Amino acid sequence: MRARNTFATAIVLSLLAAALPAKAQVPLTEGIQIGLSTDNVSITAGFSGADLTIFGSLENPDPLVARQGRYDVIVVLEGPPKPVVVRRKDRVLGVWVNLDSETFENVPVSYSVATTRPLQDITEPNSYKQLSLGASNLYMQPADAGDSPATIEEFTAALRERKSATGLYSENVGGVQFLSQNLFRATVRLAPNVPVGTHKARAFLFKSGLFIKESSAQLEIRKSGFEQSIFRVAHNYSFLYGVFAISLAMLTGWLGRLIFRRD
């Protein structure tokens, strides 16, 4: 009996020993991390736009895949979500007036993208739609879901076009560059009219066209100097600020009338 138990124990140990090397050979899953040199950016009234650099690294990259250039990274800087009203103007009796409108909820005020290659060369369009990645794939949620799909699509396209025209939605192809097999640098654009608030930086890792993992970090953009004081007063004491603004406008108009009046 003792010999039989010893033989069985030896078999179990042999099986465990054979399984350990196989487990050690399982490749580790790749990951991605990003870091910001600062968690807040201060802007003034004379801010004319800037490039923001975001550094990141790949975790457990496959050296062969890295050498073959089959890793792609897309970095997005997404502004705070806010409701947006899109209006359509038509000419009525020679005057341009607002007729139809559509309200969208939780629309990113700004959306800047940096990529290693053109988006169409990284992965399939369906992948971008599933990830809601890229300005053309952002889901614009209408406040009134009962509107016709054609109307919603028309106003959605107009919203994206307006955001791109003002520089709030931008794309920097080649803005992500690998510094080594696992380190990369991304450059995203801050528009001159970039909104204040909490922005979210997101990095997406693709391997041979397949989405692997995502990482994110937060960035606070705020006004500084005299502009920040005015901004704080306007938000914290909105009624007094409104009274002051109206009084100042009336005083300015009265002084202008005294200075430029004709005797």
Side-chain angles (χ1 to χ4, degrees), residues 58-125:
L58 305 187
E59 297 177 338
N60 309 313
D62 187 324
L64 178 59
V65 175
R67 285 195 299 269
Q68 293 175 345
R70 292 191 284 124
Y71 283 123
D72 284 292
V73 174
I74 300 176
V75 175
V76 174
L77 184 65
E78 187 175 318
K82 293 183 179 180
V84 176
V85 180
V86 181
R87 295 181 174 87
R88 179 171 56 196
K89 290 185 176 181
D90 288 317
R91 198 175 183 87
V92 178
L93 300 176
V95 180
W96 288 97
V97 295
N98 294 322
L99 293 181
D100 298 333
S101 65
E102 187 74 41
T103 302
F104 295 93
E105 300 177 346
N106 300 323
V107 177
V109 180
S110 60
Y111 194 85
S112 182
V113 181
T115 67
T116 49
R117 294 185 293 166
L119 289 174
Q120 64 268 21
D121 296 337
I122 295 178
T123 188
E124 298 295 328

Side-chain angles (χ1 to χ4, degrees), residues 40-59:
N40 64 82
V41 173
S42 298
I43 60 177
T44 63
F47 180 72
S48 58
D51 289 333
L52 177 68
T53 300
I54 300 174
F55 291 94
S57 64
L58 305 187
E59 297 177 338

Side-chain angles (χ1 to χ4, degrees), residues 8-18:
T9 303
I11 292 177
V12 172
L13 292 176
S14 299
L15 292 175
L16 290 176

Side-chain angles (χ1 to χ4, degrees), residues 12-215:
V12 172
L13 292 176
S14 299
L15 292 175
L16 290 176
L20 287 176
K23 185 177 180 179
Q25 293 175 1
V26 175
L28 298 175
T29 303
E30 296 97 334
I32 187 170
Q33 294 293 334
I34 56 174
L36 305 174
S37 57
T38 178
D39 57 0
N40 64 82
V41 173
S42 298
I43 60 177
T44 63
F47 180 72
S48 58
D51 289 333
L52 177 68
T53 300
I54 300 174
F55 291 94
S57 64
L58 305 187
E59 297 177 338
N60 309 313
D62 187 324
L64 178 59
V65 175
R67 285 195 299 269
Q68 293 175 345
R70 292 191 284 124
Y71 283 123
D72 284 292
V73 174
I74 300 176
V75 175
V76 174
L77 184 65
E78 187 175 318
K82 293 183 179 180
V84 176
V85 180
V86 181
R87 295 181 174 87
R88 179 171 56 196
K89 290 185 176 181
D90 288 317
R91 198 175 183 87
V92 178
L93 300 176
V95 180
W96 288 97
V97 295
N98 294 322
L99 293 181
D100 298 333
S101 65
E102 187 74 41
T103 302
F104 295 93
E105 300 177 346
N106 300 323
V107 177
V109 180
S110 60
Y111 194 85
S112 182
V113 181
T115 67
T116 49
R117 294 185 293 166
L119 289 174
Q120 64 268 21
D121 296 337
I122 295 178
T123 188
E124 298 295 328
N126 287 336
S127 296
Y128 294 128
K129 291 181 180 180
Q130 292 174 0
L131 295 170
S132 192
L133 178 56
S136 60
N137 297 298
L138 284 175
Y139 174 64
M140 307 296 186
Q141 179 182 355
D144 186 1
D147 291 341
S148 67
T151 300
I152 294 176
E153 184 178 355
E154 178 186 357
F155 279 93
T156 299
L159 174 57
R160 290 196 178 103
E161 183 179 353
R162 188 176 69 180
K163 290 285 190 180
S164 299
T166 57
L168 288 173
Y169 282 15
S170 62
E171 182 179 317
N172 183 11
V173 177
V176 179
Q177 297 179 345
F178 278 95
L179 306 178
S180 65
Q181 288 189 353
N182 63 327
L183 297 178
F184 64 88
R185 175 183 61 199
T187 303
V188 294
R189 182 68 179 167
L190 296 179
N193 51 343
V194 63
V196 297
T198 302
H199 294 241
K200 187 175 183 180
R202 305 169 67 191
F204 299 82
L205 174 63
F206 293 85
K207 175 183 177 182
S208 301
L210 298 177
F211 171 67
I212 301 298
K213 214 160 190 179
E214 174 190 352
S215 178

